[in-house]
């Protein structure tokens, strides 16, 4: 199993550009989520999904869109990038029971200039 | 509003010593408390977790101590080794029929010196 994979690993965007961060998992996990990690802020939940076709907002959803057309994939879209979205983004997945381990991807470091 | 407060922000411990990281929470509905370890350049990985029906859980050199009345829990790393140098996050969540969301602390950067 590859686990949770994320692409790209690094990305630089100009303000106003759009892009999609890709996330895929091969563990047949129903629950997938996106976090951003900023210094001194820990990990903050952006959006999450409990299954294909179902998504919901987390703590910091503004400026981000998600969709979940398959169990395996959960892309995160930035429609109009802003410098405040400079961060490290992590995708994670787990089975639906929250007491099970959440598996994180390796992260995408995004810089918006 | 930070629902899970973690301290200290950074910690330096000598090799062989005990590392202690503390977390406090407000939401008494939290019923799952994991600790995650993040090696630089990697995503966080589950280290150990506890439910509030026990006061302590030990796995090797890692122990979670849980104080329900004080709404606090802590991670103890015994015989700390240079390989333990990483950022540690506490977290908490509430059972919600598969809809649970983990709330993370702000992280502690642990450095073990020889």
């Amino acid at each position: 199993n590859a686990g949770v994979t994320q692409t790209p690993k690094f990305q630089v965007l100009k303000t106003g550009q759009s892009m999609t961060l890709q996330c895929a998992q091969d563990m047949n996990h129903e629950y997938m989520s996106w976090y951003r990690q900023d210094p001194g802020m820990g990990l903050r939940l952006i959006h999450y999904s409990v299954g294909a076709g179902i998504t919901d907002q987390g703590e910091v959803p503004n400026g981000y869109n998600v969709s979940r057309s398959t169990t395996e994939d959960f892309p995160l879209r930035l429609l109009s990038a802003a410098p405040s979205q400079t961060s490290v983004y992590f995708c994670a997945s787990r089975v639906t029971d929250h007491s099970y381990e959440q598996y994180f991807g390796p992260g995408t470091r995004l810089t918006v200039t | 509003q930070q629902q899970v407060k973690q301290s200290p922000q950074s910690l330096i411990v000598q090799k062989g010593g005990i590392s202690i990281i503390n977390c406090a929470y407000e939401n008494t509905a939290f019923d799952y408390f994991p600790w995650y370890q993040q090696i630089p350049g990697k995503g966080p990985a589950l280290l150990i977790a506890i439910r509030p029906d026990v006061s302590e859980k030990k796995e090797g050199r890692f122990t979670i101590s849980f104080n329900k009345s004080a709404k606090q829990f802590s991670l103890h790393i015994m015989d700390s080794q240079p390989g333990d140098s990483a950022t540690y996050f506490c977290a908490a969540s509430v059972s919600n029929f598969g809809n649970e969301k983990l709330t993370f602390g702000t992280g502690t950067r642990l450095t073990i010196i020889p």
Side-chain angles (χ1 to χ4, degrees):
Chain A
N1 285 353
V4 179
T5 58
Q6 291 183 238
T7 55
K9 198 166 179 63
F10 301 95
Q11 183 70 50
V12 179
L13 288 179
K14 292 188 187 322
T15 298
Q17 286 185 317
S18 63
M19 80 158 296
T20 300
L21 307 185
Q22 300 292 344
C23 174
Q25 53 92 9
D26 60 359
M27 297 172 283
N28 203 32
H29 287 166
E30 290 295 324
Y31 189 103
M32 295 186 73
S33 52
W34 277 101
Y35 294 87
R36 59 177 290 172
Q37 183 176 20
D38 302 290
M41 304 289 286
L43 291 148
R44 292 182 293 169
L45 182 66
I46 304 171
H47 285 286
Y48 67 101
S49 168
V50 298
I54 307 169
T55 64
D56 205 348
Q57 296 181 350
E59 183 184 353
V60 288
N62 292 342
Y64 308 95
N65 280 351
V66 292
S67 60
R68 183 96 180 268
S69 56
T70 67
T71 299
E72 293 78 22
D73 301 297
F74 190 43
L76 178 72
R77 296 183 187 84
L78 285 71
L79 297 178
S80 178
S84 61
Q85 293 178 305
T86 294
S87 186
V88 181
Y89 292 84
F90 289 100
C91 179
S93 75
R94 61 166 168 81
V95 297
T96 49
D97 186 327
H98 73 141
S99 65
Y100 282 81
E101 179 173 0
Q102 183 153 231
Y103 293 85
F104 283 83
T108 294
R109 183 174 292 274
L110 175 68
T111 302
V112 183
T113 61
Chain B
Q1 182 183 357
Q2 188 68 37
Q3 289 198 53
V4 179
K5 294 185 179 179
Q6 184 172 347
S7 62
Q9 189 173 351
S10 62
L11 181 62
I12 298 174
V13 174
Q14 208 142 24
K15 179 183 174 183
I18 303 173
S19 303
I20 302 174
I21 304 171
N22 300 299
C23 283
Y25 63 96
E26 290 297 323
N27 187 351
T28 55
F30 284 144
D31 60 359
Y32 175 65
F33 302 88
W35 284 89
Y36 279 79
Q37 179 192 59
Q38 184 178 28
I39 305 295
K42 305 285 187 185
L46 180 66
L47 186 63
I48 186 172
I50 197 168
R51 288 192 174 276
D53 53 348
V54 296
S55 60
E56 186 176 283
K57 183 174 181 180
K58 185 175 180 179
E59 289 183 3
R61 296 185 294 109
F62 301 91
T63 300
I64 300 178
S65 296
F66 186 82
N67 187 330
K68 190 173 183 177
S69 60
K71 292 185 286 185
Q72 295 174 348
F73 59 109
S74 59
L75 175 70
H76 295 235
I77 305 174
M78 311 299 288
D79 187 26
S80 299
Q81 298 297 313
D84 297 329
S85 296
T87 298
Y88 293 82
F89 294 96
C90 62
S93 64
V94 180
S95 292
N96 191 21
F97 307 103
N99 212 19
E100 298 84 6
K101 293 175 279 190
L102 268 179
T103 298
F104 283 87
T106 51
T108 297
R109 179 173 289 186
L110 174 65
T111 304
I112 308 300
I113 56 175

